[in-house]
Amino acid sequence: MRFRVDPLPRPGAYGGAAIVVDVIRATTTAALYLKAGATALVLARGVEAARALRQDGEILAGEVGGLPPEGFDLGNSPREVDGVVGKVVVMATTNGTRAVHAAMGARWILLGSLQNARAVAERAVATGEEVHLVCAGKEGQVALDDLYAAGVIGRHLQALGFSPEGEMAHLALCLAVNRPLPVLSVSEAAQALVRVGLGEDVAECARVDVHGVVPRFLGMRGEGMVFGG
């Protein structure tokens, strides 16, 4: 079996299993919401869609320019996931949740990060499908941090018998021989967080294989994609 790495999403291109990666920060934080006790995630394409999808008693989380939009309960920080026990979290981010919607059509859609790298690779292998690692990128540009995280997940896929296909898969694997924090810290996503005072989030996103929670696509709620653990 094979895995590919897309440095940017390709809407409509996916079958098999898709692992969406927005390591700084959406897919890291999404898994942590479930780990912290959220009952489900509803991922929206954008802020206004999230506001429309939110139902009474649900948590509204996300960011524009790295910061929570007006009226949101939470931002997109992996260090701020308290208060979600027993709640549904409706989430919208600049890059990550849009990338998840771009993966529609895949038979399995999983959210991957460094924190759940081994677990998401194992879950993808268990589907019996070829795997696409879909990097969110940053505002339409290839993102170093996402390629690196895809490489770390790809190394786990290799260990489970999968073979890389295409130049981007091999490039990601080459990046993954480096330590995580130095690579993530020089990415544009990390630098943007530093500029808005959220640089500490980068170190949290750089932690590797620290939990086994893998958000998986369950179905649609209106225009929102519902994920559970």
Side-chain angles (χ1 to χ4, degrees):
M1 297 291 279
R2 301 171 297 178
F3 71 91
R4 298 185 61 89
V5 173
D6 282 339
L8 291 171
R10 295 185 298 131
Y14 303 109
I19 300 173
V20 182
V21 179
D22 183 8
V23 67
I24 303 177
R25 300 169 286 169
T27 56
T28 300
T29 303
L32 289 174
Y33 283 140
L34 293 176
K35 184 174 183 290
T39 57
L41 308 172
V42 181
L43 303 192
R45 290 183 186 271
V47 167
E48 293 308 317
R51 289 192 174 111
L53 283 165
R54 182 193 198 179
Q55 298 178 0
D56 288 346
E58 296 182 344
I59 301 291
L60 196 55
E63 57 78 30
V64 172
L67 298 173
E70 183 177 355
F72 273 46
D73 304 299
L74 294 170
N76 186 33
S77 173
R79 297 180 296 115
E80 298 176 0
V81 296
D82 294 333
V84 301
V85 176
K87 302 282 189 177
V88 172
V89 178
V90 181
M91 189 175 180
T93 70
T94 304
N95 302 296
T97 59
R98 295 177 189 273
V100 177
H101 277 264
M104 285 289 293
R107 285 184 284 278
W108 299 84
I109 304 175
L110 309 172
L111 305 186
S113 67
L114 291 176
Q115 290 198 357
N116 71 355
R118 182 187 302 276
V120 76
E122 291 173 347
R123 182 69 64 89
V125 168
T127 69
E129 305 274 4
E130 291 193 350
V131 176
H132 296 267
L133 286 154
V134 183
C135 299
K138 181 169 175 57
E139 298 170 20
Q141 301 298 313
V142 175
L144 172 65
D145 50 307
D146 290 341
L147 271 177
Y148 175 82
V152 173
I153 296 168
R155 292 182 73 183
H156 286 306
L157 290 170
Q158 275 191 307
L160 293 165
F162 275 56
S163 300
E165 181 175 291
E167 288 184 348
M168 287 298 106
H170 288 283
L171 175 60
L173 290 170
C174 288
L175 281 173
V177 303
N178 296 283
R179 292 183 295 117
L181 187 56
V183 176
L184 265 60
S185 294
V186 299
S187 69
E188 175 54 34
Q191 294 302 307
L193 286 181
V194 170
R195 289 193 290 271
V196 297
L198 292 170
E200 291 182 22
D201 283 0
V202 179
E204 181 65 24
C205 293
R207 300 170 64 213
V208 179
D209 291 334
V210 295
H211 67 76
V213 177
V214 179
R216 61 186 178 91
F217 178 53
L218 302 177
M220 301 296 292
R221 193 181 87 183
E223 295 184 353
M225 296 177 68
V226 180
F227 282 76

